[in-house]
Amino acid sequence: MKKILLSLLILGTFVTVKAQFPAGGFGGGAKKPTVFGRVTATILDSVTKQPIDYATVSLINVKDNKSVNGGVTDPKGKLSLQNVAPDTYKLMIGFMGYKTKSISVTTTPAKPDQNLGTIYISSTENSLADVQVQGTKAVIENKIDRMVYNAEADGTNAGGDATDVMRKVPMLSVDVDGNVQLRGGAVRVLINGKPSGTMASSVADALKMIPAEQIKSVEVITSPSAKYDAEGSGGIINIITKKSNAQGVSGSVNASAGTRQNNGAFNLTAKTGRLSVNTSLGTNLAYAQDSRILFENNTRTDSAGLSRVTTILQDGVSKWSRQGYNGSFGADYDFNAYNNVSSTIKYNNFSNGGPGSADYILNGVPLKNISDMDMGFNNFDWNVDYKHTTKKEGEEFTVSGQVSSGRNTTDFQNEIIGSSFPQVNNSNTGKNKEYTAQTDYTYPFSKSTILEVGAKGIFRNINSEFSNNSAQDFEYNQDVASAYGVISFKLSKKYNFKGGLRSEYTSIDFNTIQGGTQKNDYFNLFPSAILSRTLKGNATLKLSYNRRVQRPSLTYLNPFRNESDQFNIRQGEPTLNPELSDNLELGYSTFIKGSVINASVFYRRTGGVIESSIMPISEGGFEKTLTTYINVGTAQTYGANLFASYNPKPKWTLMTNLGVNTYEVSNSQTGVSTGTFLNYNIFGRSAYGFGKGYNFELFGVVNSPRRTYQGKTDAMLIYGASLKKEIWNKKGSIGINTLNPFTRDLHIKTVNNSVTTVGNKVSTLFQSTNVYYPLRSFGVNFSYSFGKLKFTEKKKIKNDDIKQDQQQGGGMGGGLQQ
């Protein structure tokens, strides 16, 4: 009942506000109706007379020199800007390797449409022999509040999944398991601007479910305003999938086959008049390949003057496969120019696992372990969104609702041959339900002064059922009520400000067999502010501050004991507190003679940092290891990021990203003090167009060693290449690609140490893990697009408030993928 009342209170409050300020909203009546038109043109190379694909066009109002509209050209060089109000403008046309061109444009109520015909732009190169039209899209776009990685323009992504895409996104670091960090901090992952239940248990596994061919772009938002949910200490990642919003029927087909995995993706949109429907299907299958793990665990226990040493050596191989599929169906209808309703249904299904075996040496005694493990996950999302606009340009009111229901299972069994250890056979079923109600209102006092307010309620229920011991069943309820206000305005001709405040109240209750029913309620305020200054030469300087929260998600909380390895048990901790972080960033971006440069420095202070922790436990007279999660302490992080893109010639693009940040965690109560370490991430890419539709690309990613309060994981290198040929007038392509061709396995070594004192008993634990993960792959790919593809993103619910699992494993309670 309290959930229903809270939802009605949130929605009723803002419906009342809207009713009190009809049409014109706050501050007076609506502007007079005006006729909106469009501006069209065709952009060609001045020498070859060939179309310029993906040239960037901006429509700038002459009165205030502010961009009011923009877009990119299609493969035929054509451009169409819609909803252009009558006024006088400059049309700025730019493309790397070409001189920027300005065209005067005037539209009137009597003549709202302007067809500028053919516009020629010339290369910056003097030698005509070097002039070739590069038809590939810009891979990186640097926007005022985010950086966008256009995955569909990167040929090396073909045949991979979302994890492979993330490894090449600037400012992100991805480990071998697919866990993602943004500049050393936790991150919230959204899909098309909103959450999905597929991310509820493990982001790493959820990303493996999405074929790379379904991804259009990835947005990296480092300084979210108070309008966003406060989740993600490092920021927000928004994955945009391929869609279409054109009259008629349009879509795309993608397929890839390789030595590591196979992918397929299909997207279709049909639009007529006011109604648009779209559907998508995707599938992926990873072959079962041998992953090798070498494991060493030494525990020394000192008590009452006596010492005991337990040594475990393990050399094992697992043969895991992975398969999944996903589908969606959506409909969008415009009742009139001011009222729109849309709805989308999404379903995901994913499973991975397989048999394994390992040779053990326990205190000098050889044994053999036979195991089998299977993890499955399926999720259903349904959202309904209503949007109302008025005759006042920029005024918008939305109401949204979302239902998400997921189910995941973890089943394992293992037997140690030739020993007295019992055979272990257990399973865990998790059920996750989530209901969300949200309303937002935007009111522009003027073109430069905009107010945004909103409220939201999220109601979550998690049930974890144990097959062997129902007394340990776990139920977790979390309700979050939030409201925000954001104001943006110009301080002067060169200075812009955007600031806001978000309040969130969280109510939590859960039960465990040890502690019974427990509650944990808390209230937080999250301020945000961005001050930007426009400099000469299209440069921008930005200073931002925000406060963020990172709530632990299901895998962190679930007390299910995963004993797929009897001597290395994994278990969640339901009493974890959320992380709270304060972030300060200074950024600079510019465009110089075809080159893009983005540089930033930042500071982040995070309290209650959540990390995995190992500790020795004694069971059955034998020393084992328990891996769980704790709030380890406070972290202070200093860092910098530099991104640069350069075109030596129109047909050649070089790109690099360098990120560095410090790692330091301290806790005066527990005595934890790690000292200060430096992490870095380096990404490089080279793309070359040979003409006649041939494109060749190389890329490489280096992640430095990563620290935790207990240990260190070695550096990681990933590299690849692709060759693609455009066919059928650029509507299709065929290609080949490879990943880590000269090394079969990606070798990752992790070393951890811990000291635990209980009374007069002191236990010292050393743990070393060497993982040999089969990453090398060769593949072929095909893509075909029909119709005119144009993506537009609707306002959707964005539940970006849960800390995602940074450990591998797709079931409730995880499980080490070997």
Side-chain angles (χ1 to χ4, degrees):
M1 178 59 69
K2 68 176 182 179
K3 297 179 180 180
I4 297 174
L5 291 176
L6 183 56
S7 297
L8 293 175
L9 176 62
I10 291 172
L11 293 177
T13 299
F14 279 83
V15 169
T16 302
V17 169
K18 176 60 182 172
Q20 292 176 349
F21 300 95
F26 301 105
K31 287 186 177 181
K32 293 181 179 180
T34 185
V35 178
F36 292 92
R38 64 178 180 176
V39 175
T40 57
T42 301
I43 314 301
L44 303 181
D45 183 278
S46 61
V47 176
T48 66
K49 303 300 187 292
Q50 294 297 312
I52 305 296
D53 181 12
Y54 216 71
T56 302
V57 181
S58 180
L59 191 65
I60 300 173
N61 193 296
V62 173
K63 295 178 181 178
D64 56 11
N65 205 36
K66 182 179 178 181
S67 177
V68 298
N69 205 330
V72 294
T73 56
D74 66 12
K76 295 182 180 180
K78 293 184 178 181
L79 167 79
S80 180
L81 302 181
Q82 307 290 336
N83 299 319
V84 177
D87 214 328
T88 302
Y89 304 96
K90 291 187 300 182
L91 189 74
M92 304 296 294
I93 306 166
F95 189 65
M96 288 188 177
Y98 287 80
K99 298 176 182 178
T100 300
K101 190 164 187 175
S102 175
I103 302 293
S104 297
V105 180
T106 300
T107 63
T108 65
K111 189 179 180 182
D113 297 334
Q114 279 283 9
N115 184 355
L116 303 179
T118 300
I119 300 175
Y120 296 98
I121 60 175
S122 58
S123 169
T124 56
E125 295 290 318
N126 294 324
S127 173
L128 297 182
D130 288 335
V131 176
Q132 289 192 30
V133 176
Q134 171 65 3
T136 57
K137 297 180 180 180
V139 175
I140 300 293
E141 293 180 77
N142 183 27
K143 298 186 177 181
I144 185 66
D145 63 340
R146 66 196 65 193
M147 184 171 286
V148 181
Y149 170 76
N150 290 308
E152 64 178 352
D154 190 341
T156 61
N157 289 324
D161 54 39
T163 304
D164 301 309
V165 174
M166 291 293 184
R167 290 191 176 107
K168 289 175 277 184
V169 177
M171 293 185 282
L172 300 186
S173 59
V174 185
D175 64 19
V176 65
D177 303 319
N179 303 313
V180 182
Q181 284 192 328
L182 173 53
R183 302 195 301 192
V187 68
R188 178 56 167 161
V189 180
L190 305 177
I191 299 178
N192 295 325
K194 50 181 191 154
S196 173
T198 57
M199 301 286 176
S201 292
S202 169
V203 169
D205 279 338
L207 292 176
K208 293 183 178 73
M209 297 169 63
I210 306 173
E213 288 81 1
Q214 282 189 319
I215 300 176
K216 178 183 177 66
S217 60
V218 179
E219 299 178 340
V220 180
I221 308 171
T222 59
S223 301
S225 73
K227 184 174 182 177
Y228 289 90
D229 288 338
E231 175 66 13
S233 59
I236 294 173
I237 299 173
N238 185 22
I239 299 174
I240 304 296
T241 58
K242 294 179 180 178
K243 293 183 180 179
S244 174
N245 191 37
Q247 290 287 340
V249 177
S250 56
S252 63
V253 178
N254 299 272
S256 61
T259 58
R260 187 165 65 105
Q261 64 182 20
N262 304 313
N263 289 338
F266 171 73
N267 300 275
L268 178 68
T269 295
K271 183 174 183 180
T272 174
R274 299 176 181 180
L275 176 65
S276 174
V277 295
N278 61 81
T279 186
S280 68
L281 297 171
T283 183
N284 58 77
L285 170 64
Y287 299 111
Q289 299 187 63
D290 289 341
S291 296
R292 186 185 181 194
I293 292 183
L294 300 178
F295 180 82
E296 178 181 356
N297 194 96
N298 293 315
T299 304
R300 177 188 173 94
T301 304
D302 297 296
S303 179
L306 299 176
S307 297
R308 183 176 63 177
V309 178
T310 301
T311 301
I312 304 174
L313 300 176
Q314 174 184 341
D315 186 347
V317 174
S318 63
K319 200 175 186 66
W320 278 37
S321 62
R322 187 177 72 249
Q323 59 185 5
Y325 59 88
N326 62 77
S328 69
F329 177 82
D332 188 287
Y333 184 75
D334 294 313
F335 291 99
N336 50 45
Y338 307 112
N339 295 278
N340 169 273
V341 64
S342 62
S343 181
T344 302
I345 297 174
K346 295 189 296 184
Y347 180 78
N348 294 273
N349 186 284
F350 173 75
S351 64
N352 63 346
S357 63
D359 293 320
Y360 278 52
I361 299 179
L362 305 181
N363 292 331
V365 178
L367 300 170
K368 190 173 185 65
N369 180 53
I370 303 298
S371 63
D372 196 3
M373 185 170 181
D374 180 71
M375 295 186 294
F377 178 81
N378 63 74
N379 188 81
F380 168 83
D381 293 320
W382 177 37
N383 69 273
V384 179
D385 306 277
Y386 166 74
K387 180 172 69 174
H388 172 69
T389 58
T390 72
K391 296 177 181 179
K392 184 176 181 63
E393 184 179 358
E395 186 179 19
E396 183 176 283
F397 174 72
T398 63
V399 178
S400 302
Q402 178 171 290
V403 176
S404 181
S405 178
R407 177 187 177 94
N408 50 9
T409 58
T410 302
D411 300 286
F412 62 82
Q413 59 182 11
N414 67 70
E415 181 181 5
I416 300 178
I417 308 294
S419 75
S420 60
F421 292 102
Q423 180 178 351
V424 176
N425 187 342
N426 204 351
S427 66
N428 176 228
T429 300
K431 300 175 182 178
N432 180 54
K433 294 183 179 180
E434 186 173 295
Y435 307 91
T436 304
Q438 175 179 338
T439 182
D440 301 274
Y441 179 65
T442 301
Y443 180 78
F445 292 98
S446 66
K447 289 186 177 180
S448 59
T449 303
I450 299 173
L451 174 68
E452 298 172 282
V453 293
K456 186 175 187 178
I458 309 173
F459 314 104
R460 296 187 176 98
N461 173 258
I462 297 171
N463 282 285
S464 174
E465 300 175 355
F466 297 76
S467 63
N468 291 351
N469 189 350
S470 60
Q472 294 187 20
D473 289 354
F474 175 61
E475 183 174 3
Y476 185 87
N477 296 289
Q478 181 191 86
D479 300 335
V480 181
S482 60
Y484 73 88
V486 178
I487 185 75
S488 57
F489 53 87
K490 292 182 72 70
L491 293 172
S492 67
K493 185 177 180 180
K494 294 184 178 180
Y495 285 92
N496 293 278
F497 175 80
K498 185 174 186 177
L501 180 66
R502 185 180 189 90
S503 62
E504 293 190 355
Y505 176 76
T506 305
S507 174
I508 295 175
D509 64 79
F510 61 91
N511 72 292
T512 61
I513 189 65
Q514 296 88 356
T517 300
Q518 301 182 54
K519 293 183 67 65
N520 183 19
D521 299 349
Y522 49 89
F523 175 79
N524 297 105
L525 293 175
F526 300 97
S528 67
I530 300 176
L531 177 65
S532 63
R533 185 183 191 277
T534 302
L535 306 175
K536 294 182 179 179
N538 296 320
T540 302
L541 190 65
K542 181 178 68 174
L543 178 65
S544 65
Y545 164 79
N546 59 69
R547 196 162 202 238
R548 312 286 293 166
V549 68
Q550 198 78 42
R551 299 181 182 91
S553 64
L554 175 60
T555 306
Y556 285 86
L557 300 167
N558 190 4
F560 169 61
R561 282 171 58 99
N562 188 324
E563 298 181 86
S564 54
D565 183 337
Q566 292 191 42
F567 305 106
N568 295 281
I569 302 164
R570 305 177 66 87
Q571 184 175 23
E573 174 51 61
T575 62
L576 285 173
N577 292 318
E579 300 176 352
L580 288 172
S581 64
D582 292 277
N583 305 272
L584 186 65
E585 177 184 359
L586 177 64
Y588 172 81
S589 60
T590 187
F591 179 85
I592 305 174
K593 296 181 179 180
S595 300
V596 177
I597 299 175
N598 178 282
S600 62
V601 292
F602 67 92
Y603 167 75
R604 180 173 61 249
R605 184 185 186 278
T606 305
V609 173
I610 299 174
E611 288 191 4
S612 63
S613 176
I614 61 170
M615 61 185 70
I617 56 174
S618 297
E619 292 184 348
F622 197 84
E623 296 293 332
K624 300 180 180 181
T625 300
L626 173 67
T627 300
T628 185
Y629 304 94
I630 66 171
N631 294 105
V632 63
T634 300
Q636 295 195 79
T637 304
Y638 299 86
N641 191 86
L642 175 64
F643 169 79
S645 178
Y646 173 62
N647 282 63
K649 294 182 179 180
K651 57 185 176 180
W652 187 16
T653 300
L654 297 175
M655 184 183 302
T656 186
N657 186 83
L658 171 63
V660 295
N661 67 270
T662 61
Y663 172 84
E664 176 192 6
V665 174
S666 60
N667 188 324
S668 58
Q669 295 182 348
T670 62
V672 171
S673 181
T674 63
T676 303
F677 301 96
L678 185 68
N679 296 326
Y680 61 85
N681 175 263
I682 302 173
F683 165 69
R685 177 180 180 271
S686 175
Y688 192 87
F690 292 96
K692 297 183 179 181
Y694 285 95
N695 295 280
F696 179 70
E697 299 182 18
L698 293 169
F699 85 95
V701 178
V702 178
N703 287 339
S704 73
R706 292 295 188 235
R707 300 279 180 168
T708 65
Y709 89 101
Q710 286 186 330
K712 170 187 173 183
T713 299
D714 282 354
M716 178 175 65
L717 169 65
I718 297 175
Y719 56 95
S722 75
L723 177 65
K724 183 174 69 173
K725 172 67 169 69
E726 295 175 336
I727 57 177
W728 301 333
N729 294 322
K730 296 186 179 180
K731 290 185 177 181
S733 69
I734 55 175
I736 57 174
N737 63 308
T738 182
L739 187 67
N740 281 35
F742 303 112
T743 50
R744 176 191 179 273
D745 297 324
L746 187 63
H747 176 205
I748 302 296
K749 181 179 180 180
T750 301
V751 175
N752 289 307
N753 294 274
S754 77
V755 178
T756 304
T757 302
V758 180
N760 63 350
K761 179 181 177 181
V762 179
S763 298
T764 303
L765 175 62
F766 168 82
Q767 190 178 86
S768 173
T769 306
N770 285 272
V771 178
Y772 295 86
Y773 176 74
L775 191 64
R776 179 171 62 191
S777 67
F778 301 90
V780 296
N781 53 82
F782 167 80
S783 67
Y784 175 69
S785 300
F786 52 93
K788 182 179 180 181
L789 295 177
K790 178 183 178 183
F791 176 79
T792 57
E793 182 182 351
K794 298 285 184 182
K795 181 183 291 291
K796 301 293 185 181
I797 279 182
K798 305 175 184 179
N799 289 353
D800 39 357
D801 67 308
I802 295 295
K803 180 177 179 71
Q804 300 300 320
D805 179 27
Q806 294 297 311
Q807 300 292 327
Q808 58 191 42
M812 251 205 55
L816 183 63
Q817 179 174 335
Q818 301 180 358

